[in-house]
Amino acid sequence: VVAINENLDLVHQNHVLFDSELPEFRTQGGVHVQADKLTVTSPVLMWVKALDLILDKMKDAGFDFSSVRALSGSGQQHGSVYWKKGAGQVLKQLDPGRPLHKLLEVESVCDSPVWMDSSTSEQCSSLESAVGGAQNLTNITGSRAYERFTGNQIAKIQQSNPEKYSETERISLVSSFGASLFRGDYAAVDYSDGSGMNLMDIFSKKWAQPCLEATAPHLEAKLGAPLVSTAVLGEVSSYYVTRYGFSPDCKVVAFTGDNPGSLAGMRLREGDIAVSLGTSDTVFLWIKEPRPTIEGHVFCNPVDSDSYMALICYKNGSFTRERIRNERAGGSWDTFSRALNATPVGNDGNLGIYFDTLEITPSAVGVYRVNEQDQTVEGFPGEVEIRALVEGQFLAKRVHAEKLGYKISKLSRSFSILATGGASSNTDILQVLSDVFNAPVYTIDVANSACLGCAYRAKVKALSCLCTRTCVESIIVLRPPPTSVDNRIKAIT
């Protein structure tokens, strides 16, 4: 949890560690991995008890709940919660004399599927077939069928436990589950988190009937209508007013997913790109006219209901960079950086694609090298190999971004790339990122970005104020001639 003041300054933060502070649930990393190694769930009651615990921690620390004018939140994307019949009435009658976890054992499915689950391949195939293929599903929902996406998880539960599905009164995402707890009533799924379900038409912002029909019976009634991500849901439940001292006027703004929350937390603007350079690399895009493809995701934007966000994940990130560093730079990042500085932008036409493990975007594995004559080669000299790796990684990001609708040629001069993650500390790597996108690169250090983003969203919407980006350190402002890099983009399209 984080709290900010009117100047966006952080005034309080706290956390709960599921494994160590709630050991009775016997989780590892907050989850249960089942015997098949594919099914991954979390106990819903653990989440409820964690909310009790963190609010009690804040109270013990002297936090003034009466000063909170608005709140929002983020939940791990794709996860789902199944409320049994009668749970809605229980929510409206919470006894402030008792902790939530003593009041809310109201789930028809006690262990909820989460984003790590990969047990729904059969349901994914069925859904794509029902709507005419992976690209058709992508055209509707912004993504092809993924095992972790909520619709496929719902289909599995309905097929494997039809009695529990029948007992379910309402299905929430983890985000709307959290909002429901604070409202004391069922909260709607917001457009942005709802985009990660394989169930919502991201253009009409309504549930897609062919997807609902292919997933489970009576599903629309169990989901409720989705709602704009910036909506004020109402005031906080009287439970929190009495038990913790919240103001009865405290507004609850729609909760959203962790990825949409991070976009808000990094304070991206239209046209910006955020690149997280970690164990895996992730690209966040703010776009106006998306072109969904089966590689990557398009979600509704959590900040601007007329815009979209795209998300592209790459499995081969820092581990691949470290392998080439070890093999070609003697394990030294300084030597790695000197190699980048010793080779020209564009690498004299030498291009490399390095997928040490099966890549997500695209689904491929192996190492591919092409020289300036577009001939496949077995290897490059050390310095050339290092630049081929880094340029190839960033070229791939630009190509996939443009395929999803990112229009680099029409951007204004205010366009920026925001870099975060471990590799963002290497300015020579960032220089290559600047070269490839022909744009300035800024570093950002945003801890708890999803949580912080929802604090910003609460302030902006409920208090009718602006939240402009500040305190971003400029690292690279060079705009090198783009032709030496651009003429290689065709090689990886």
Side-chain angles (χ1 to χ4, degrees):
V1 63
V2 300
I4 61 172
N5 63 18
E6 62 275 10
N7 297 318
L8 309 184
D9 299 321
L10 188 67
V11 297
H12 183 88
Q13 58 182 330
N14 220 316
H15 65 273
V16 171
L17 299 174
F18 293 140
D19 296 358
S20 58
E21 296 185 69
L22 297 168
E24 63 269 31
F25 294 100
R26 300 177 182 274
T27 58
Q28 292 185 336
V31 301
H32 292 144
V33 179
Q34 307 302 324
D36 62 3
K37 306 298 184 183
L38 299 174
T39 303
V40 184
T41 61
S42 284
V44 178
L45 196 60
M46 180 182 70
W47 296 338
V48 177
K49 195 169 183 179
L51 179 57
D52 284 331
L53 182 55
I54 203 161
L55 291 174
D56 287 342
K57 283 185 173 185
M58 295 174 73
K59 187 176 182 178
D60 292 343
F63 183 81
D64 180 12
F65 290 102
S66 68
S67 66
V68 179
R69 297 179 61 188
L71 64 88
S72 186
S74 67
Q76 51 182 288
Q77 204 163 13
H78 316 304
S80 48
V81 176
Y82 300 78
W83 303 84
K84 67 183 179 183
K85 291 177 180 177
Q89 194 60 34
V90 173
L91 268 177
K92 295 175 182 178
Q93 299 174 341
L94 297 174
D95 176 3
R98 302 176 65 196
L100 281 174
H101 72 276
K102 297 291 187 181
L103 301 169
L104 286 174
E105 296 187 38
V106 291
E107 304 82 29
S108 56
V109 178
C110 295
D111 272 14
S112 286
V114 295
W115 67 273
M116 296 170 67
D117 189 283
S118 56
S119 66
T120 62
S121 297
E122 179 182 341
Q123 288 77 19
C124 289
S125 296
S126 177
L127 177 60
E128 289 184 347
S129 296
V131 300
Q135 185 60 55
N136 280 348
L137 180 63
T138 304
N139 293 340
I140 299 168
T141 70
S143 302
R144 66 173 305 162
Y146 283 90
E147 284 84 355
R148 67 186 183 275
F149 274 39
T150 323
N152 306 303
Q153 297 293 339
I154 293 171
K156 178 188 172 185
I157 286 175
Q158 191 276 327
Q159 293 163 18
S160 61
N161 292 291
E163 299 84 5
K164 289 185 176 181
Y165 180 80
S166 180
E167 292 170 4
T168 299
E169 175 177 276
R170 181 78 168 215
I171 300 174
S172 294
L173 295 180
V174 177
S175 57
S176 59
F177 171 71
S180 300
L181 296 181
F182 277 102
R183 277 286 294 132
D185 197 1
Y186 290 141
V189 169
D190 80 289
Y191 292 160
S192 194
D193 207 10
S195 308
M197 299 175 72
N198 278 147
L199 292 176
M200 196 183 82
D201 184 323
I202 61 170
F203 297 103
S204 71
K205 298 180 175 65
K206 297 178 180 178
W207 300 123
Q209 290 301 319
C211 299
L212 295 178
E213 292 168 6
T215 299
H218 315 298
L219 182 52
E220 186 168 12
K222 294 180 188 290
L223 291 172
L227 187 69
V228 61
S229 300
T230 54
V232 176
L233 302 177
E235 285 73 37
V236 71
S237 165
S238 60
Y239 173 88
Y240 301 92
V241 176
T242 303
R243 187 172 178 86
Y244 294 103
F246 277 85
S247 166
D249 297 322
C250 175
K251 301 293 190 293
V252 179
V253 175
F255 284 32
T256 193
D258 50 2
N259 286 313
S262 290
L263 180 135
M266 291 183 287
R267 289 187 252 177
L268 263 65
R269 300 170 297 190
E270 182 181 347
D272 283 348
I273 297 179
V275 180
S276 176
L277 300 172
T279 302
S280 60
D281 290 349
T282 306
V283 178
F284 294 84
L285 308 166
W286 179 311
I287 53 180
K288 277 287 190 182
E289 299 175 3
R291 295 193 302 266
T293 73
I294 59 174
E295 295 172 351
H297 310 288
V298 175
F299 302 139
C300 295
N301 191 298
V303 177
D304 178 0
S305 60
D306 294 325
S307 297
Y308 295 84
M309 66 170 284
L311 183 68
I312 316 170
C313 301
Y314 301 87
K315 190 179 294 184
N316 292 276
S318 287
F319 286 159
T320 304
R321 289 186 287 271
E322 289 169 5
R323 177 179 70 80
I324 296 298
R325 177 205 62 186
N326 293 340
E327 293 178 0
R328 296 298 198 168
S332 167
W333 284 118
D334 289 339
T335 303
F336 190 95
S337 291
R338 285 195 294 272
L340 290 176
N341 289 320
T343 46
V345 175
N347 210 20
D348 290 325
N350 297 296
L351 176 68
I353 300 296
Y354 301 78
F355 298 148
D356 289 355
T357 59
L358 182 64
E359 186 52 81
I360 300 170
T361 312
S363 180
V365 67
V367 176
Y368 308 89
R369 301 179 183 89
V370 178
N371 65 15
E372 65 275 15
Q373 282 86 39
D374 288 336
Q375 298 169 332
T376 300
V377 295
E378 290 299 316
F380 292 133
E383 292 179 344
V384 175
E385 184 97 84
I386 288 170
R387 178 168 282 275
L389 163 71
V390 179
E391 278 192 356
Q393 287 185 327
F394 292 144
L395 280 166
K397 291 170 175 55
R398 175 172 167 177
V399 166
H400 292 128
E402 291 181 328
K403 283 184 176 180
L404 284 167
Y406 191 73
K407 299 179 180 178
I408 200 167
S409 61
K410 296 183 179 180
L411 295 171
S412 68
R413 285 292 177 180
S414 63
F415 157 54
S416 302
I417 301 172
L418 311 180
T420 186
S424 66
S425 62
N426 187 316
T427 56
D428 296 295
I429 289 177
L430 296 190
Q431 178 64 68
V432 179
L433 178 60
S434 176
D435 296 340
V436 169
F437 281 86
N438 191 36
V441 174
Y442 299 80
T443 59
I444 53 175
D445 183 13
V446 181
N448 302 315
S449 60
C451 199
L452 192 60
C454 290
Y456 294 154
R457 291 174 55 250
K459 175 177 167 61
V460 170
K461 183 60 182 180
L463 307 184
S464 301
C465 59
L466 296 176
C467 186
T468 56
R469 186 169 70 241
T470 58
C471 303
V472 179
E473 180 188 359
S474 174
I475 293 296
I476 301 294
V477 293
L478 300 176
R479 295 181 181 273
T483 52
S484 57
V485 174
D486 284 357
N487 63 12
R488 299 300 291 159
I489 288 180
K490 68 180 188 304
I492 56 172
T493 50

